[in-house]
Amino acid sequence: MLYYSRLRMLGVVGICLISALLCLPNFMKSPSSFLPWHQVHLGLDLRGGSYLLLQLDTKTLQHDRLQSLEGEVRQGLLTAHLGYRNIERDDATASVLVTPRSDSEKDSDRKVLEGLTPSIPGELAVSEKNGQFAISLTPEAIRSRAREAVSRSIEIVRRRIDSTGAIDPSIAREGEDRIVLELPGISDPQRIKTLLGTTARMTFHLVSPDPTHAGPGTTMLPLSEGRGELAVEDRIDVDGANLTDAAATMNEGQWVVELKFDNKGADDFARITTQNVGKPFAIVLDGRILTSPVINGPITAGQGIITGSFTARSASDLALLLRAGALPAPLTVVEQRSIGPSLGAASIHAGIISLIVGFVLVVLFMLLFYGRFGLYADVALFANLVMILAILSLFEATLTLPGMAGILLTLGMAVDANILINERIREEVRNGRKPLQALQAGFQRATSTIIDSNATAFLAHVMLFVFGTGAVRNFALTITIGIVTTLFTTLVLSRMLIVRWYAHKRPQELPV
């Protein structure tokens, strides 16, 4: 039980030395660009940066769904050779209102409307009032669509932020329709706000035969750079969701954005350009026409370019947005806060002081109450701190003030384990056991208790990490790592130090 082979001792010492090496990048610059140099990143409260609270425009989300539903209703009735007097949207009631052409077609109209395919189960409800049919979006479907839109927006925001090179951004949901974004080290997030404020929904539409007037099934959209308006068909002929890649390149001395489509997008593009040679084709981004070139011939390769008055930055940003994907609805910044580097430095100083003071007090307590065994517990405690920092560095984790609090709490938990072992050894000595038997019985009886208590704490903090967000996750992360390192330093390292001391001294009494 108390025997340590040479190989086992070398393994323990090796782990401690490797941990110390992994900590080095946090205290010195990399001597070579070829060396893996992993560091702990500081969070927003320690490093300074920006805090943005974004809100998803659910009204636009509902409006877009009603617009597409209106097109589906119109297409369904025409396909069934049924007419109508009027079709209109009612955003207030989340409905599409249909006035039948005649009373004799009402039953047929109802069958067509009830046969519409919902985008999610239970989305549509058909009712009749005052001679009109109302196809309404159910409240459950609206809430479900909003939740899904927020989840999709978080992933798209993450891809856009990662493409800018921001280090360790924190992105989390808040409430039903809000997203919290923390950007450590970015004090002026104007470019980030511009990227996130752009929905980046790209669609391709045929231009109306009468481009100066909007008729049924067409909408007037503004041209880029304020060059007027153009009537385009509401039907989306090619959807930007089918893009697989977008890149900013030079073409004939001008910056352009090259597009590549997946198989469905390539088929739609080939079909539209084959059937509409000689007609203008509008490329629409977020409700604004970027360009409306004339189709000179079929385009079957699944590729195209967007031309315009692009600069290198604007072309790169547009390509970045298109690669990351379109937001399901616009995001608006409802709150912004900036934390200066000086405040972050003050937080770091306060956190380090609290760690040092807490560590020193614990060391003095162990030395005063347990003597030599307290010294060995202090050595294990220092190794515990080094190993926590090493693991955080290895995975380049982000450290925040709650994370530093978690480290300090871990040190206290580690001391508890050492106190438990030392008290068990004292009890065995008082019961008249010899030193070797007291050591063996003390470690043996305390081990199961230490493992049980730390296992329950470990599971609790894993759940905090899985289901928590922001500061809670960082607090749970440091404690979870600390529990693992505590078990190693308490049950392996401190035991090894005591065993080596006993084997060398062979004392008649234990100094506890």
Side-chain angles (χ1 to χ4, degrees):
M1 184 71 180
L2 295 180
Y3 173 71
Y4 272 71
S5 67
R6 187 180 299 274
L7 182 61
R8 190 178 180 186
M9 286 189 292
L10 288 176
V12 174
V13 174
I15 290 174
C16 295
L17 291 177
I18 291 173
S19 298
L21 288 176
L22 290 174
C23 290
L24 284 180
N26 297 288
F27 305 102
M28 58 184 295
K29 294 182 179 180
S30 175
S32 173
S33 59
F34 299 103
L35 289 176
W37 212 247
H38 301 289
Q39 295 177 312
V40 175
H41 299 298
L42 299 180
L44 184 67
D45 49 1
L46 295 178
R47 185 181 178 187
S50 297
Y51 168 96
L52 299 176
L53 181 61
L54 309 170
Q55 186 168 29
L56 189 74
D57 188 351
T58 54
K59 291 184 178 179
T60 299
L61 191 69
Q62 176 180 302
H63 175 81
D64 291 345
R65 177 57 185 136
L66 289 176
Q67 187 175 36
S68 65
L69 181 59
E70 180 186 4
E72 294 172 14
V73 169
R74 182 179 286 109
Q75 186 65 35
L77 292 175
L78 293 178
T79 301
H81 305 291
L82 297 171
Y84 51 86
R85 290 183 183 178
N86 187 37
I87 297 179
E88 60 181 347
R89 298 187 299 272
D90 186 356
D91 289 321
T93 60
S95 304
V96 174
L97 304 178
V98 181
T99 305
R101 182 168 55 183
S102 64
D103 292 340
S104 62
E105 292 183 347
K106 278 189 174 182
D107 291 340
S108 300
D109 289 342
R110 178 181 286 275
K111 288 182 180 179
V112 171
L113 298 178
E114 290 178 346
L116 293 173
T117 303
S119 58
I120 56 178
E123 179 189 30
L124 304 178
V126 180
S127 60
E128 183 181 355
K129 186 178 181 181
N130 299 329
Q132 283 185 320
F133 287 108
I135 305 94
S136 305
L137 302 177
T138 62
E140 295 79 7
I142 293 174
R143 288 193 293 268
S144 176
R145 185 179 294 277
R147 287 194 298 268
E148 180 187 356
V150 172
S151 298
R152 286 172 51 200
S153 297
I154 289 175
E155 293 304 316
I156 293 169
V157 166
R158 191 181 307 279
R159 289 200 293 267
R160 291 185 183 183
I161 296 299
D162 289 344
S163 299
T164 65
I167 298 176
D168 288 314
S170 173
I171 306 169
R173 178 198 295 263
E174 182 175 284
E176 290 290 330
D177 59 354
R178 293 187 173 189
I179 299 172
V180 174
L181 175 61
E182 295 181 352
L183 302 168
I186 298 179
S187 57
D188 182 15
Q190 188 55 47
R191 186 189 176 205
I192 302 294
K193 290 169 62 178
T194 302
L195 291 177
L196 298 182
T198 304
T199 307
R201 174 165 171 75
M202 176 170 285
T203 53
F204 299 78
H205 307 252
L206 285 172
V207 176
S208 172
D210 184 3
T212 59
H213 297 88
T218 63
T219 302
M220 298 294 295
L221 293 180
L223 293 163
S224 61
E225 300 178 359
R227 293 181 285 117
E229 292 184 327
L230 205 61
V232 301
E233 296 183 1
D234 290 338
R235 184 182 68 252
I236 297 175
D237 295 301
V238 183
D239 197 332
N242 298 120
L243 284 172
T244 59
D245 193 19
T249 60
M250 292 289 289
N251 184 23
E252 298 181 358
Q254 292 184 335
W255 282 100
V256 301
V257 178
E258 285 189 351
L259 307 177
K260 293 182 180 180
F261 294 92
D262 59 16
N263 291 335
K264 184 181 184 305
D267 291 342
D268 291 342
F269 208 69
R271 175 177 52 79
I272 293 300
T273 55
T274 300
Q275 296 174 357
N276 297 277
V277 174
K279 297 180 181 180
F281 196 40
I283 303 175
V284 180
L285 179 69
D286 293 341
R288 184 179 294 272
I289 300 174
L290 290 179
T291 183
S292 54
V294 174
I295 301 173
N296 295 321
I299 302 175
T300 59
Q303 297 181 350
I305 62 171
I306 303 174
T307 59
S309 302
F310 291 119
T311 62
R313 168 59 67 86
S314 62
S316 298
D317 284 351
L318 177 56
L320 182 155
L321 292 171
L322 296 177
R323 284 196 305 271
L327 290 168
L331 287 172
T332 55
V333 178
V334 296
E335 183 181 346
Q336 176 181 346
R337 297 199 302 265
S338 294
I339 299 175
S342 59
L343 183 58
S347 299
I348 294 174
H349 179 73
I352 291 176
I353 291 298
S354 65
L355 276 176
I356 292 175
V357 171
F359 186 82
V360 169
L361 290 176
V362 168
V363 167
L364 291 177
F365 173 85
M366 295 300 292
L367 284 174
L368 289 174
F369 279 83
Y370 297 104
R372 180 179 289 275
F373 284 10
L375 175 63
Y376 294 149
D378 291 337
V379 173
L381 195 65
F382 180 74
N384 194 357
L385 182 61
V386 171
M387 292 177 69
I388 293 174
L389 185 58
I391 295 175
L392 292 174
S393 302
L394 181 63
F395 295 101
E396 297 187 323
T398 300
L399 183 63
T400 63
L401 277 176
M404 296 183 75
I407 293 176
L408 189 56
L409 180 58
T410 299
L411 297 180
M413 294 168 61
V415 169
D416 287 343
N418 282 284
I419 290 175
L420 183 61
I421 291 173
N422 290 332
E423 287 298 328
R424 293 296 299 183
I425 294 174
R426 276 183 175 178
E427 184 178 347
E428 296 300 326
V429 171
R430 285 197 295 267
N431 291 336
R433 288 181 179 265
K434 294 182 178 180
L436 181 60
Q437 294 174 337
L439 286 177
Q440 187 165 349
F443 274 108
Q444 187 173 7
R445 293 182 179 181
T447 296
S448 60
T449 304
I450 293 172
I451 292 177
D452 289 345
S453 61
N454 280 276
T456 54
F458 180 83
L459 292 175
H461 289 92
V462 166
M463 293 299 103
L464 272 181
F465 180 81
V466 171
F467 297 107
T469 58
V472 174
R473 283 174 62 92
N474 200 257
F475 177 77
L477 175 64
T478 53
I479 291 189
T480 303
I481 294 173
I483 290 173
V484 176
T485 57
T486 294
L487 290 176
F488 175 81
T489 54
T490 302
L491 301 181
V492 179
L493 179 60
S494 64
R495 179 184 296 188
M496 185 190 76
L497 294 174
I498 293 174
V499 167
R500 292 306 302 163
W501 166 81
Y502 181 84
H504 180 68
K505 295 293 185 179
R506 295 288 178 176
Q508 299 298 314
E509 295 183 356
L510 294 178
V512 291

